Amino acid sequence: MLGIRDKNIWLVYLTIFLLGTAYGASLSVTPLQLAAAHFSTDQIGTLAVWFAGGIVSMSLPAGVFVRRLSAKATLVTCLAVYALAASLFPLQSSYVGAGVVRALDGAASVGVWVACETILLSRSEKSKKGLVMSLNAMAIALGYVAGSGFARLITIVAAYREVFFCASALALVAAAVVMVALDGDALGAKAKPAEHATAEPAGLAFSALAWRIKTSCLGTFSYGYFQASVVLFLPLYLVESKGIAKADTMLITAFFAAGMLIFSSVAARAGDRLGHLRVMRLLAAIGLVMTLGFAWLTSWPLMCAAIFVAGATLASISPVSLALQGHLVPPGDYSRANAVYNAWYAVGMLLGPPISSRLMTRYGGAVMLVHLAALWGGFVLFTVVFRRDEPSRAQSLVSARSTS
């Protein structure tokens, strides 16, 4: 199917789909559960910082665990820890207790991401890394959609807290699938070196590793910053400044996710054939225009179209940037590179909301959107300055054509 014959890759997709379903179910009722537990609006908002803090604290250790223990052991353990965090969350009545559980959630989540991304990059062919990573993004997005509907069904007959218990059960099912079906040598250590971008030995220093993947890191930082800001403040801006009904703003996530689901595979295939960094630059430039357009658009249908295009472009940068990363580092360093990559994503999530909140409060939503567009403009400029980070573009094109 799609030229991907390794069963381990499809098992990772199944795992990510199950986890995404758990995410979608729990996140859809998290604000409602917290409000029912008498948490204030400010407390609900700042719990996101605890989650991002958990990601930051665990990102680098996760890479070490994958390398020294195994991807399979790390994946099973982190899924089990996520299940524990999901089941404990609805039982918390204090802010600190909820924050600690959210931090545990973030730490477990990044362990899953690093392990899964490392398995996929290690087992995918050089000419199909973009495709493989885009299908991973699509799997978790489909999970989010399924989880949201799952949560609605549960709340018809049960309370909000039961949704979290069901999410915990889904994570345990995913852990069981990994434990039983995934190969013990999940990283595919016997893969031929020729399938990868480089045969140089692993063991680069973290600083050298971070510099080598700097374009991928800045891409995921920008997306984390953008995503965390837009989720919180775009609906508020549209309601207060554009006169959009609150019920209509609930469609923002759907249009954004639809764009990503439809286009991420196209973007990934283009990256595999034409150069990942070149495609990332184009995606960011188009997404920049869409973001900037919200300051002047007045038609809701046009706003929906802009949201769709923004999802198709900006959300597609993540799998393409991971594919680029797979060409920049030795296979033995994939786990640590993915750890650095996810740390930058979390830093973006930490910085985006407070800066965007201050700009929106002081200068208005239009200025907040302009600063997000400027962020992507900076990324585009960065990819131009470091355009030579694209490894062997002509050779990659020939290789992709020869294997297609």
Side-chain angles (χ1 to χ4, degrees):
M1 187 182 298
L2 298 174
I4 301 173
R5 295 179 292 273
D6 192 330
K7 68 156 189 172
N8 293 279
I9 291 177
W10 293 103
L11 283 169
V12 168
Y13 293 156
L14 175 59
T15 302
I16 284 296
F17 171 76
L18 291 171
L19 183 64
T21 304
Y23 282 162
S26 59
L27 288 175
S28 64
V29 297
T30 292
L32 301 175
Q33 170 63 31
L34 291 173
H38 307 294
F39 285 84
S40 69
T41 301
D42 288 341
Q43 288 176 325
I44 293 173
T46 55
L47 282 174
V49 175
W50 290 77
F51 177 75
I55 296 176
V56 171
S57 65
M58 186 60 179
S59 292
L60 298 184
V64 175
F65 292 154
V66 169
R67 191 174 185 183
R68 294 190 178 181
L69 300 178
S70 75
K72 181 174 181 177
T74 301
L75 192 50
V76 171
T77 301
C78 290
L79 285 167
V81 173
Y82 171 80
L84 175 64
S87 63
L88 289 176
F89 186 74
L91 305 179
Q92 304 306 308
S93 58
S94 71
Y95 175 75
V96 173
V100 169
V101 173
R102 286 293 284 156
L104 186 65
D105 183 337
S109 293
V110 75
V112 173
W113 303 339
V114 170
C116 288
E117 290 162 4
T118 302
I119 293 170
L120 294 177
L121 286 176
S122 297
R123 287 188 167 271
S124 59
E125 299 174 18
K126 178 179 178 181
S127 62
K128 294 179 180 177
K129 291 190 185 297
L131 172 63
V132 168
M133 299 316 298
S134 71
L135 292 176
N136 184 60
M138 293 172 68
I140 195 167
L142 287 171
Y144 270 102
V145 174
S148 178
F150 185 47
R152 290 187 180 186
L153 291 176
I154 295 172
T155 54
I156 293 175
V157 297
Y160 298 138
R161 66 169 55 190
E162 272 69 35
V163 175
F164 294 92
F165 299 146
C166 290
S168 177
L170 284 171
L172 290 176
V173 170
V177 168
V178 172
M179 185 179 296
V180 171
L182 194 70
D183 286 352
D185 178 23
L187 297 185
K190 297 180 181 179
K192 296 179 181 179
E195 292 181 353
H196 300 287
T198 177
E200 65 181 290
L204 292 170
F206 266 117
S207 57
L209 201 58
W211 179 252
R212 183 170 291 194
I213 62 172
K214 56 187 175 295
T215 46
S216 290
C217 287
L218 185 59
T220 196
F221 168 84
S222 300
Y223 183 64
Y225 188 109
F226 172 85
Q227 182 188 48
S229 299
V230 165
V231 165
L232 291 174
F233 301 115
L234 182 58
L236 181 62
Y237 170 65
L238 294 181
V239 170
E240 293 182 350
S241 301
K242 300 291 186 177
I244 304 300
K246 291 182 179 180
D248 288 341
T249 64
M250 296 179 185
L251 297 173
I252 290 175
T253 301
F255 279 106
F256 192 85
M260 184 196 71
L261 285 171
I262 292 173
F263 195 72
S264 62
S265 180
V266 176
R269 288 174 181 269
D272 286 337
R273 290 179 173 272
L274 305 176
H276 300 96
L277 190 56
R278 181 183 298 178
V279 170
M280 288 164 61
R281 184 185 307 125
L282 178 61
L283 293 173
I286 297 172
L288 181 161
V289 174
M290 294 299 103
T291 303
L292 202 57
F294 274 98
W296 289 276
L297 290 175
T298 56
S299 166
W300 175 238
L302 288 179
M303 292 180 192
C304 291
I307 293 167
F308 176 86
V309 175
T313 53
L314 299 179
S316 295
I317 287 176
S318 182
V320 178
S321 65
L322 274 168
L324 171 64
Q325 187 166 296
H327 288 263
L328 291 174
V329 300
D333 276 330
Y334 281 163
S335 60
R336 296 192 307 137
N338 291 336
V340 173
Y341 177 90
N342 280 287
W344 277 101
Y345 174 72
V347 171
M349 291 181 67
L350 278 171
L351 294 180
I355 295 175
S356 297
S357 175
R358 178 162 295 187
L359 287 173
M360 186 167 178
T361 301
R362 187 165 183 177
Y363 301 107
V367 171
M368 185 271 295
L369 289 171
V370 169
H371 114 277
L372 292 176
L375 172 74
W376 288 114
F379 173 71
V380 170
L381 179 61
F382 192 85
T383 63
V384 172
V385 173
F386 294 102
R387 59 189 177 277
R388 294 186 183 277
D389 280 9
E390 184 78 69
S392 304
R393 286 180 291 179
Q395 294 178 12
S396 295
L397 180 58
V398 172
S399 175
R401 287 175 174 169
S402 66
T403 55
S404 61

